[in-house]
Amino acid sequence: MTIAAAKGILPSAERPGAYAAHARRWLQENLTDRLRTDRAHEPRATLDELKRFEAALYRAGLAGITWPTAYGGHGLTLREHLEANREIGLAPAPNAVNSIGKELVGPIVLAVGDERQKAEFLPAILGMDTIWCQGFSEPGAGSDLAGLRTRVERCADGWRVNGQKIWTSGASKSQRCLLLARTGVPEDRHRGLVLFAVPMDRPGIDVREIRSMDGDRSFCEVFFSDVIVDEADMLGAPDEGWLAATRVLSIERATNRMYRAWRFESELDHLIAACRTDARSLAILQGYARELAQIRVEIEMLKGHVETLVESLLAGEEIGPRGSFPKLYWSESHQRFAQIAFEVVSRFPPTAGQALRDVKARMEAIYLHSRAETIYAGTTEIQLDIIGKRILNLSRAS
Amino acid sequence: MTDEIDPKDFEDTARAVVEACAKASDGRARARLLAEAGLFGVIAPEEAGGLGLSLRHAVPVVAAAGSGLLAYPLIEAMVLARALAGVDAAEAGRILSGESLATIAWSGVAEDGLVGHAPLAEEADRILIFRADGGAVLAAASNVVRVEPSSDRWDVDLPSAPVRTDGPVTGIELGAEAVRALRADADLLRAAHILGSASHCLSLAIGHAQGREQFGRPLSSYQVLRHKMSRDALVTETIRNGIARALSAHREDADLVREAAWLNAARSGPAVAENAIQIFGGMGFTWEVPLHRHLRQMRAQGSYGAAADLLERFGQALIASSSNEWYREENHAN
């Protein structure tokens, strides 16, 4: 019996909105002030608190929704996933610590992993026992991922890894790394790429944190010096694993952090609610009425992109390059919002009360962080190339 | 008839009829072609002689009109036939049969004595004029309601004209509720019209960029132009998905979602024509290349649907009534 069934929550097909109602209720009861991202004056939640919250979210049926029950999932559809994510987005909830595990590793393991890997890795992701990081980008291979140089070669104990990864978010708190490396030479480009589930406590792995422009230290560099990994931790055969993974990735681009449109709405709601607590701030905000209206329109359009792709996936259609549309739209629209919001909060008077100070801190952080959004998960320029080449079939030939 | 009919089935028919209309001599001839194909009645109830289908089915028809620069107030005929069906079925029937050429004066109210933005008013038999109380009256183009010689040739294909009302305007009346529904239908259809127009401009730009060579290479080999067209693909896809979302049944937030879909189309669609003009270079600025006609009709639809006014109201309403239970003001420690 699934958790949802045990709790008497009906799938969306039987009762639309029931899953959303459950999610809303659960969040109201479990999202404490310390966990809320709109309470800058509260002490920040610790990593352990965030992990406990995320594990509880799963136990409440709000994560691992579409994963098979055999591996700890709730065995439901993207429809319930969408309903739950709308509510998670509307709330000032923290971003997932293990989003790489849940949104990238899980689907790849389900697609190419063997039975042992599925049974071992998947429940540990949902239960927050194993946090994952993504070892794809390298100093010489960012947008041009096929240029990566990290090498794996067979040895007596399994495989030996040598190389360097960068922009590995959360590596310093991860227990495993989804490593993309090659068996041959860099000139092989897309051939000979292989995926490994590397335990982060192996000798020869050195993690260095990189301080990002928003002051965070989540980014890392990861160095692999003669690191031995087990054959059993290879995901799919060389070549096969990566090919299957890219298919999964195109779906993931369309569905990951599905709550984003609603979180975006929630941030705008917070700005407005806070400004309404003070006449001077409200007057400032009213000067931005048209810009905010435009942003609110864009939020609805973003929901349209997400819901259209969810309907396509539910109908069994291929998403392919269409996943680029929501990524491109969200990242640029969110940056525009962040610029407006920053300008609004920068005009608050020094006498501003707690509500305004809280929203100011949140909007400043959003503004800085938003600069990464057109860079990570495929830059704006890469998305535009994908649309031009694979949707419009524009010839690049001279 | 039910919604089981695939809206796409209408697309080919609509395209063919719009093409035939381009060769017709005047509005009346176009009315006959459109009526014969049943296109006026897609959303009108069956009792009045319509097909009784949903707005979803009207979208590809109106998009084809936008794409083909149809010189007929199709949106107006469709929404009038639907709104009038329950009030005066005979009048609705005359619109459906193409016998009566009907249009709507989208700006101003009868009490002002002068209303405007009435597409093809110079050829119209009937003109719907709004009233200050929120209702409207369908007036006969006669001595009481005079269409002024049009000075507005903004929309080359479908010029609008101002309409003067001397004294009280009489005719079939629509209440405020019916007018609200009519405007809501029109907003979504206008978004579809812009979708058709913008998509056509993008395909013209792509065709030109693939065929035209400069410095020994096709324009499409230049990344800066490919990216411009990719952005326009994002614009048209966004308009399409916005319309689809507004059409999905039983939404609690139907008004918001519809207004957003309309505002998005009105505000983002014209840029696709503007970019296509840029990609065409000097040719794009000529009268012969039809891009300016698309730009004009998209901007005209923006005015008919008062998108700029709506954006302002939308923003004020957002600030005044945004309600997310997580940020109730009393929850904030001050």
Side-chain angles (χ1 to χ4, degrees):
Chain A
M1 189 185 244
T2 66
I3 288 175
K7 287 177 174 287
I9 310 158
L10 292 171
S12 302
E14 288 166 44
R15 223 183 96 205
Y19 220 81
H22 161 66
R24 194 157 52 238
R25 217 170 23 247
W26 189 86
L27 287 162
Q28 280 160 351
E29 287 161 12
N30 293 277
L31 187 64
T32 60
D33 279 1
R34 279 171 70 82
L35 290 161
R36 289 180 65 144
T37 52
D38 61 334
R39 300 284 163 90
H41 65 282
E42 292 277 343
R44 274 178 87 166
T46 63
L47 179 61
D48 274 345
E49 285 174 300
L50 290 170
K51 283 164 77 168
R52 276 200 298 278
F53 172 71
E54 217 168 308
L57 202 65
Y58 155 63
R59 288 194 302 274
L62 303 178
I65 293 170
T66 63
W67 293 14
T69 51
Y71 307 116
H74 302 303
L76 295 168
T77 71
L78 275 176
R79 195 163 279 129
E80 289 79 20
H81 182 77
L82 177 61
E83 279 200 20
N85 274 275
R86 280 180 183 141
E87 297 302 326
I88 291 169
L90 285 171
N95 280 328
V97 174
N98 208 4
S99 70
I100 296 290
K102 283 184 268 192
E103 313 226 54
L104 185 81
V105 176
I108 288 176
V109 169
L110 279 168
V112 304
D114 58 34
E115 256 328 291
R116 182 201 66 83
Q117 290 169 334
K118 288 178 190 171
E120 182 186 336
F121 297 156
L122 299 174
I125 290 171
L126 295 175
M128 295 298 287
D129 304 310
T130 309
I131 295 182
W132 287 69
C133 59
Q134 177 188 5
F136 282 20
S137 294
E138 296 183 6
S143 289
D144 181 16
L145 196 56
L148 68 88
R149 309 181 76 88
T150 296
R151 256 200 105 200
V152 286
E153 46 192 351
R154 249 180 220 289
C155 63
D157 305 319
W159 293 75
R160 180 181 290 114
V161 187
N162 276 289
Q164 181 191 353
K165 294 289 171 181
I166 198 165
W167 319 131
T168 317
S169 298
S172 54
K173 51 181 183 249
S174 296
Q175 283 75 49
R176 286 226 183 219
C177 176
L178 180 70
L179 179 78
L180 182 65
R182 63 170 68 254
T183 53
V185 293
E187 289 68 34
D188 290 347
R189 301 285 296 167
H190 292 93
R191 280 170 295 134
L193 293 176
V194 58
L195 282 170
F196 273 101
V198 181
M200 290 297 282
D201 57 1
R202 285 290 153 97
I205 296 180
D206 181 20
V207 177
R208 295 179 202 164
E209 291 180 338
I210 300 171
R211 192 170 187 201
S212 49
M213 61 171 257
D214 56 356
D216 204 359
R217 291 182 190 276
S218 164
F219 265 178
C220 296
E221 283 179 289
V222 185
F223 297 86
F224 296 85
S225 312
D226 290 327
V227 175
I228 305 298
V229 293
D230 306 333
E231 172 90 21
D233 283 337
M234 184 188 283
L235 289 164
D239 281 328
E240 276 176 34
W242 174 242
L243 282 176
T246 51
R247 281 198 297 278
V248 175
L249 287 174
S250 77
I251 296 174
E252 290 314 295
R253 185 177 286 138
T255 58
N256 80 13
R257 301 205 174 190
M258 197 175 276
Y259 58 77
R260 271 190 301 218
W262 290 272
R263 178 61 48 76
F264 189 172
E265 178 181 350
S266 178
E267 291 163 359
L268 174 59
D269 289 341
H270 183 197
L271 179 66
I272 293 170
C275 287
R276 283 207 307 235
T277 62
D278 171 80
R280 280 166 73 181
S281 306
L282 182 59
I284 290 169
L285 194 72
Q286 276 160 342
Y288 294 86
R290 288 177 69 94
E291 284 101 325
L292 295 177
Q294 177 62 33
I295 293 294
R296 189 65 185 79
V297 165
E298 290 173 12
I299 290 169
E300 288 306 307
M301 295 306 106
L302 179 62
K303 293 176 187 173
H305 280 298
V306 173
E307 290 170 0
T308 299
L309 291 183
V310 167
E311 286 303 318
S312 287
L313 286 167
L314 285 167
E317 294 168 18
E318 287 273 322
I319 290 293
R322 285 192 290 155
S324 291
F325 286 129
K327 163 64 171 73
L328 186 56
Y329 196 79
W330 165 74
S331 58
E332 296 195 329
S333 182
H334 196 238
Q335 282 185 346
R336 283 192 291 276
F337 162 69
Q339 287 162 342
I340 296 165
F342 179 85
E343 197 172 295
V344 170
V345 302
S346 72
R347 296 174 62 186
F348 288 164
T351 53
Q354 191 64 62
L356 293 176
R357 289 200 302 276
D358 279 353
V359 81
K360 184 170 194 280
R362 189 179 186 194
M363 296 303 139
E364 284 171 350
I366 286 169
Y367 171 65
L368 290 175
H369 191 263
S370 76
R371 301 320 304 173
E373 290 160 358
T374 48
I375 301 169
Y376 66 60
T379 64
T380 294
E381 290 70 23
I382 290 291
Q383 308 302 339
L384 290 170
D385 268 352
I386 290 171
I387 293 168
K389 186 177 171 186
R390 295 180 54 201
I391 294 178
L392 301 182
N393 297 312
L394 292 173
S395 129
R396 305 166 71 164
S398 312
Chain B
M1 295 242 190
T2 68
D3 273 11
E4 280 159 40
I5 297 167
D6 189 341
K8 289 202 178 79
D9 295 345
F10 287 93
E11 207 170 313
D12 293 338
T13 309
R15 277 184 190 281
V17 176
V18 168
E19 214 169 289
C21 281
K23 298 183 195 98
S25 55
D26 59 7
R28 215 152 287 281
R30 286 178 205 113
R32 273 194 299 277
L33 289 168
L34 291 159
E36 273 168 26
L39 297 183
F40 291 140
V42 176
I43 54 170
E46 285 176 85
E47 307 84 79
L51 297 175
L53 295 170
S54 69
L55 271 179
R56 213 154 55 87
H57 296 85
V59 164
V61 173
V62 176
S67 170
L69 295 165
L70 177 68
Y72 194 88
L74 175 63
I75 294 172
E76 287 75 6
M78 281 178 146
V79 299
L80 273 172
R82 183 186 230 185
L84 289 168
V87 183
D88 190 325
E91 190 66 39
R94 281 191 287 278
I95 295 172
L96 293 176
S97 68
E99 185 191 325
S100 173
L101 202 165
T103 190
I104 298 173
W106 289 108
S107 70
V109 289
E111 288 82 349
D112 292 341
L114 188 66
V115 293
H117 284 153
L120 216 66
E122 285 175 291
E123 293 185 49
D125 304 306
R126 296 278 185 277
I127 302 169
L128 188 78
I129 296 172
F130 297 117
R131 287 193 315 218
D133 65 1
V137 55
L138 187 73
S142 64
N143 291 338
V144 182
V145 176
R146 280 184 295 112
V147 177
E148 305 251 306
S150 178
S151 56
D152 183 3
R153 309 301 294 188
W154 170 261
D155 187 343
V156 179
D157 296 282
L158 189 56
S160 68
V163 179
R164 195 166 288 285
T165 60
D166 298 330
V169 183
T170 54
I172 301 165
E173 298 192 357
L174 291 179
E177 196 44 53
V179 167
R180 249 196 304 280
L182 173 144
R183 282 187 189 273
D185 286 352
D187 281 351
L188 257 187
L189 294 180
R190 266 194 273 271
H193 197 265
I194 289 174
L195 173 64
S197 197
S199 301
H200 188 73
C201 290
L202 176 57
S203 59
L204 288 177
I206 290 171
H208 181 76
Q210 304 266 42
R212 166 93 170 156
E213 291 204 357
Q214 286 288 277
F215 302 102
R217 295 158 56 184
L219 293 181
S220 64
S221 72
Y222 296 94
Q223 192 184 51
V224 68
L225 295 182
R226 285 205 307 278
H227 282 190
K228 197 186 269 292
M229 291 181 276
S230 295
R231 285 196 178 280
D232 289 340
L234 174 62
V235 169
T236 53
E237 186 72 8
T238 304
I239 297 174
R240 191 188 325 279
N241 290 341
I243 293 170
R245 185 157 192 268
L247 289 170
S248 62
H250 315 304
R251 298 202 69 101
E252 289 168 18
D253 51 357
D255 287 345
L256 170 88
V257 172
R258 187 191 59 251
E259 286 179 1
W262 160 235
L263 280 172
N264 173 64
R267 290 178 59 76
S268 65
V272 181
E274 292 164 357
N275 284 338
I277 289 168
Q278 179 71 16
I279 288 167
F280 267 72
M283 283 304 296
F285 191 65
T286 62
W287 189 267
E288 285 71 25
V289 171
L291 293 170
H292 72 102
R293 290 160 62 190
H294 284 281
L295 180 60
R296 286 162 183 271
Q297 74 168 8
M298 279 192 266
R299 292 281 182 200
Q301 291 298 342
S303 303
Y304 301 162
D309 293 334
L310 177 61
L311 186 76
E312 209 144 299
R313 286 203 305 277
F314 193 88
Q316 282 154 4
L318 174 69
I319 292 172
S321 61
S322 163
S323 63
N324 178 326
E325 61 191 37
W326 290 99
Y327 308 115
R328 290 225 182 92
E329 278 120 294
E330 62 265 33
N331 289 348
H332 277 275
N334 269 296

